[in-house]
Amino acid sequence: MPDIKDSDFYSHRIPSISQVIEELKELWGMALPITAMNLLVFIRAVVSVLFLGRLGSLELAGGALSIGFTNITGYSVLVGLASGLEPVCSQAYGSKNWDLLLLSLQRMILILFFAIIPISVLWINLENIMVFMGQDRNITAMAATYTLYSLPDLLTNTLLQPLRVFLRSQQVTKPMMWCSLVAVIFHVPLNYVLMVKMGWGVAGVAMASVVCNLNMLVLMVMYVWVSGRWEMRWTGGIGGVCGGIGPLLRLAVPSCLGICLEWWWYEIVTVMAGYLQNPTLAVAATGILIQTTSMMYTVPMALAGCVSARVGNELGAGKPYKAKLAAMVALGCAFFIGIINVTWTVILRDRWAGLFTKDDLVKALVASVLPIIGLCELGNCPQTTGCGILRGTARPVIGARINLGSFYFVGTPVAVGLAFGLKIGFSGLWFGLLSAQVACAVSILYVVLVRTDWEAEAMKARKLTSLEISSFNNEGVRDKTEEESKGLLMNGNGNMEMDDVL
């Protein structure tokens, strides 16, 4: 009898219980460490906010403004672009194309390096931008200080984000969790030393976050080096690396848009809350709810990344129905997680806000909306997981289109219409989010469950991973044919295949 792990199964057969259990083990063996890592990163952000709060309300407001600005303009972009590596790396690993795996990592690092140049310009000019938009000058000055001292973090994330995808695509997740744990353990003493002992204030909190991420990166690089599993070399030379950047961007940009469009919508909700009848209460409650959704998002985000790797691995190995099984098991888990979120948000709705504030009015406002947030997660969990499946099949552009339509052509009009048009107020904003999540989940489930031909996706993966890496001749001269065929990957005849893959 063939090994469950190594064999695919026929399309007309229903997967056995043992196959489902085996897939659950594979998936959660990856997802649990990634979830723990995401929670540690979330805790690091909470620690930074707590230390900013100790400095005073002005410093807290400035830090919050800076964190929001850097998330929108920087971190979301880098995370989104790096996710474009998921289909290439996971499918290359499944097909044992080690050169493509390493070459793709190098190309993505180069892409992110160029991406941080305009991001850096934005960060340096944060104060001018915010003053132009009418923000308070004192708060803006604090935000500018925090952002300025966070600039080195852009360079760190240029290496850190692709490396995370690179390792996850090979099902290496526990080392990332331990590296994050060690780095976060030192985050509190770092904040204390830099902010309190050295008296650097807001700059000290920002620098502590930078050092924390740098520690994560150094520990991960040390693991890669010591483990000996990868030979870190400049594969294919500069020409080989640069030659495939354009086509890789065709995967990275839609992946980035799909992630950013959702992240940015939450910031838009915060802005809209400021225009309600009692903006102080609304914004405070929005802050608590966004922190809550961020915490709940750690599990589906981990699940999405891991199912992307599982689907890509199996497609790259030529096992379409194992890839389909991985997708179905992940979606089942996503619905279960969504049900858990609905349950606890209903049960704890009157107590949850008390962890963040003592203001009874804010607590009442949060309690009235928290069950809606739970329902949103019932849609968000399968939607996020479905986006991971689409990335694993090298179709991130579909996820980007769905997110654009759902959040901005469904969610935004519903939120504005209910909150301001029908005067429902604060809860109307979150009903807008609920409508967006429902539209998103239905659309993505339709694509994954109805419109996906798994055998065709396996054939596309074979084209993606069995092609030659573009190369240059020794004299550095390329003829017209080589120039036209330059791409992420080329087939034996030199014809670009990315259009077929996408």
Side-chain angles (χ1 to χ4, degrees), residues 333-459:
C333 293
F335 276 110
F336 181 73
I337 294 166
I339 292 171
I340 291 175
N341 286 330
V342 172
T343 303
W344 81 258
T345 51
V346 171
I347 294 173
L348 298 179
R349 61 179 178 175
D350 294 322
R351 300 178 183 178
W352 181 252
L355 299 175
F356 299 88
T357 183
K358 295 181 180 179
D359 191 314
D360 290 333
L361 293 175
V362 173
K363 288 193 285 187
L365 200 56
V366 171
S368 68
V369 173
L370 197 59
I372 303 175
I373 297 298
L375 287 173
C376 290
E377 289 302 309
L378 187 59
N380 181 52
C381 290
Q383 174 252 327
T384 302
T385 303
C387 284
I389 294 168
L390 292 178
R391 291 197 300 272
T393 58
R395 295 181 294 169
V397 67
I398 297 177
R401 289 171 180 168
I402 290 173
N403 279 356
L404 174 63
S406 299
F407 283 95
Y408 294 88
F409 294 101
V410 176
T412 300
V414 171
V416 172
L418 293 178
F420 301 102
L422 298 180
K423 307 296 183 182
I424 292 177
F426 186 67
S427 60
L429 297 178
W430 301 98
F431 277 117
L433 175 62
L434 179 60
S435 66
Q437 294 289 11
V438 170
C440 232
V442 170
S443 300
I444 286 179
L445 289 175
Y446 173 74
V447 172
V448 172
L449 299 178
V450 179
R451 301 293 297 174
T452 298
D453 184 335
W454 292 97
E455 291 183 353
E457 294 304 325
M459 292 179 64

Side-chain angles (χ1 to χ4, degrees), residues 33 42 46 76 107 193 237 258 270 345 356 364-365 389 417 421 437 484 493:
F42 175 75
V46 171
S76 62
R107 286 169 173 167
V193 170
T270 304
T345 51
F356 299 88
L365 200 56
I389 294 168
Q437 294 289 11
E484 291 175 347
N493 297 323

